[in-house]
Amino acid sequence: MSCLKISEIYAYLEHELSPEIQTKVEEHLAACPKCQRLLAERQAYLESIAGLPDFELPSDFTEQLMALLPEYKSPARGWLYLAGGLYLIYSLLIVTLAIRTKNPLFPACLEIFKHLFNLAADLSHFIFKLIQQVHGLIKALAIFLEVSGKLFSELLPSPGLVLFSFLLGLCLTMALFGVLIKPIKIKNRS
Amino acid sequence: MNKQNLKMVENEDKALVQLCLKGEKKAFEKLVRKYQQPLANYFGRMVQERELSLDFTQEVFLKAYTALHTYNPKYQFSTWLFRIASNLLIDYWRKKKLPLTYIDANGEEEEQEPIQIPDRELPVSEQYEKKKMTEIIEQAIKQLPETLRELFVLRHINDFSYEEIASIKHLPVGTVKNRVFQAKELLRLQLEGK
């Protein structure tokens, strides 16, 4: 093997050579004082670079940075408000229908309204209160389905309207669930 | 760092990113503590002013935080973070209208034989005391052309592999190797001239 190129010496020092070439280089180095000297020079040079000190950071750098981070913000927040609003209107519709029919199910309808209202009011904090909201939503849905079934069979004049209301409720529920389980994105406020 | 350790670090970073995306700020703080020093070392050598280096380091984390949902776990978090840093630096240089030496990423350059530089009698590292030496090296690094300096810093200050640098800079590995070699020998010559 002829004398090493400088690039080969660096590659050897940085363990970038294949095992086969590495062996050949080592064999050559063992027999060539000139390449040994070149190697020692480059090794010392690289060591002096590796020994450069770290850039000095202020001791409170991390704390300052963390204080600057924006709050998590869901890009779906607008949709959540819309879904919550629609739910509210829908629950009001159901309550109105129940009042008009003067049915004993009225307290149950009010219960739905309460849960849905709380759900809509809490949407802005939904990340922190997700579990409570889901619980409230499930509870409201359980009552809602029960009431809808009864309305469908007994109270409302038009079965078509009831069916439409039921399907609308179902769609809204699915949409709200879809938005809630969507991955969170972060937006910078600044 | 061996491959197994590297994999562990990668997995740890990806797990922290997932926690961040679930809203855990503490996880992001861990990433900050892990990468603030490497980023500061990078900017410290790339820009001349200390305050600016700190501002850039901070800005990289802010940008990363707001764009975390775009991070693809297929890639290393560290290379993604340094890509943000590199882009920030390029924007800064453009705004300052510094004459940039762009690296041609075509394959021809990979085939070129690296420059051969004659060896000198005495090793540089033995000519100065350590402190003096540090100052001299730091000054010499700052005199390298920006693009060569960046690749050199990524390789020899931040300890990225050539493949990782190629991923950060979107360059062929051969080009990166060639340029880092040029930077090293240029720097060595500058040091020997002092």
Side-chain angles (χ1 to χ4, degrees):
Chain A
M1 188 180 190
S2 57
C3 275
L4 301 172
K5 291 175 190 167
I6 303 295
S7 58
E8 286 173 329
I9 290 175
Y10 280 127
Y12 173 75
L13 288 170
E14 293 172 33
H15 310 290
E16 291 286 328
L17 297 174
S18 66
E20 191 188 331
I21 298 175
Q22 174 117 352
T23 310
K24 282 183 184 172
V25 166
E26 278 165 0
E27 281 168 6
H28 176 78
L29 279 169
C32 178
K34 189 193 167 197
C35 286
Q36 280 172 18
R37 186 169 54 80
L38 286 177
L39 180 81
E41 270 186 30
R42 264 57 179 194
Q43 190 166 16
Y45 166 58
L46 288 185
E47 278 169 6
S48 65
I49 293 167
L52 289 176
D54 279 337
F55 184 88
E56 205 178 317
L57 280 167
S59 56
D60 59 347
F61 180 84
T62 315
E63 288 73 21
Q64 279 187 28
L65 173 65
M66 291 308 291
L68 287 174
L69 293 183
E71 287 302 318
Y72 276 83
K73 211 174 173 183
S74 169
R77 182 169 284 197
W79 290 104
L80 279 171
Y81 279 124
L82 183 65
L86 286 173
Y87 244 122
L88 197 63
I89 293 167
Y90 184 67
S91 63
L92 281 170
L93 175 73
I94 296 293
V95 170
T96 309
L97 288 170
I99 291 169
R100 282 183 65 191
T101 56
K102 295 187 172 104
N103 193 273
L105 283 172
F106 178 62
C109 291
L110 272 182
E111 188 72 4
I112 297 175
F113 176 78
K114 194 178 83 184
H115 285 293
L116 290 173
F117 181 82
N118 287 341
L119 179 69
D122 290 347
L123 280 177
S124 61
H125 308 292
F126 83 100
I127 294 170
F128 306 102
K129 297 183 176 175
L130 191 61
I131 296 168
Q132 291 97 316
Q133 284 179 357
V134 169
H135 178 253
L137 182 67
I138 291 169
K139 205 170 168 184
L141 279 174
I143 301 168
F144 163 71
L145 287 172
E146 190 185 339
V147 173
S148 297
K150 289 189 177 170
L151 283 172
F152 180 76
S153 59
E154 297 171 19
L155 302 173
L156 293 177
S158 162
L161 178 64
V162 176
L163 184 63
F164 172 74
S165 304
F166 178 76
L167 290 175
L168 180 62
L170 197 63
C171 290
L172 285 171
T173 305
M174 298 306 287
L176 193 58
F177 266 124
V179 172
L180 282 172
I181 62 170
K182 216 174 173 182
I184 300 158
K185 289 183 184 175
I186 313 148
K187 277 186 181 171
N188 194 345
R189 277 181 181 166
S190 57
Chain B
M1 192 180 290
N2 64 37
K3 278 186 180 175
Q4 200 179 354
N5 284 345
L6 188 69
K7 198 76 192 162
M8 271 175 65
V9 169
E10 275 180 42
N11 289 339
E12 189 187 68
D13 287 354
K14 284 167 191 171
L16 287 172
V17 170
Q18 285 307 311
L19 287 173
C20 292
L21 289 171
K22 286 176 185 166
E24 284 193 33
K25 266 192 175 180
K26 278 279 171 197
F28 193 75
E29 189 177 333
K30 281 184 185 169
L31 288 170
V32 170
R33 289 191 189 278
K34 187 171 177 181
Y35 288 107
Q36 62 187 15
Q37 191 62 65
L39 278 172
N41 286 346
Y42 169 78
F43 283 120
R45 270 83 187 193
M46 295 310 299
V47 293
Q48 308 293 325
E49 301 153 50
R50 176 181 160 76
E51 285 307 311
L52 197 58
S53 305
L54 291 173
D55 286 350
F56 278 158
T57 306
Q58 200 172 67
E59 202 172 332
V60 169
F61 284 116
L62 291 174
K63 277 179 184 283
Y65 187 75
T66 53
L68 212 53
H69 62 281
T70 66
Y71 165 66
N72 185 349
K74 206 168 80 178
Y75 303 102
Q76 284 180 44
F77 178 76
S78 57
T79 56
W80 181 74
L81 197 65
F82 271 80
R83 201 175 301 146
I84 295 174
S86 179
N87 289 339
L88 195 66
L89 206 57
I90 290 168
D91 287 345
Y92 166 71
W93 283 335
R94 278 195 187 131
K95 278 177 196 160
K96 274 194 83 175
K97 294 192 175 132
L98 287 177
L100 285 178
T101 319
Y102 286 97
I103 294 172
D104 182 7
N106 69 33
E108 279 179 29
E109 193 174 19
E110 289 175 58
E111 304 302 323
Q112 287 173 9
E113 191 62 24
I115 49 171
Q116 290 296 310
I117 293 158
D119 50 298
R120 302 289 167 92
E121 284 305 309
L122 287 173
V124 175
S125 59
E126 287 173 18
Q127 292 177 21
Y128 304 94
E129 290 174 17
K130 194 175 178 182
K131 196 178 172 188
K132 179 98 175 149
M133 187 69 189
T134 299
E135 284 171 21
I136 290 167
I137 296 173
E138 294 282 11
Q139 282 307 314
I141 289 173
K142 284 175 183 170
Q143 283 168 23
L144 287 173
E146 287 88 3
T147 45
L148 286 185
R149 194 193 325 158
E150 186 183 17
L151 298 179
F152 174 82
V153 168
L154 287 170
R155 174 70 187 137
H156 289 288
I157 305 291
N158 293 118
D159 286 329
F160 279 112
S161 69
Y162 289 110
E163 288 74 17
E164 287 169 331
I165 299 170
S167 168
I168 292 168
K169 295 299 296 173
H170 297 297
L171 287 169
V173 177
T175 303
V176 173
K177 282 184 178 175
N178 192 16
R179 293 285 170 168
V180 172
F181 170 74
Q182 285 184 31
K184 267 187 296 212
E185 284 300 280
L186 201 57
L187 181 68
R188 199 180 68 86
L189 282 179
Q190 278 183 14
L191 291 170
E192 285 192 348
K194 286 181 189 284

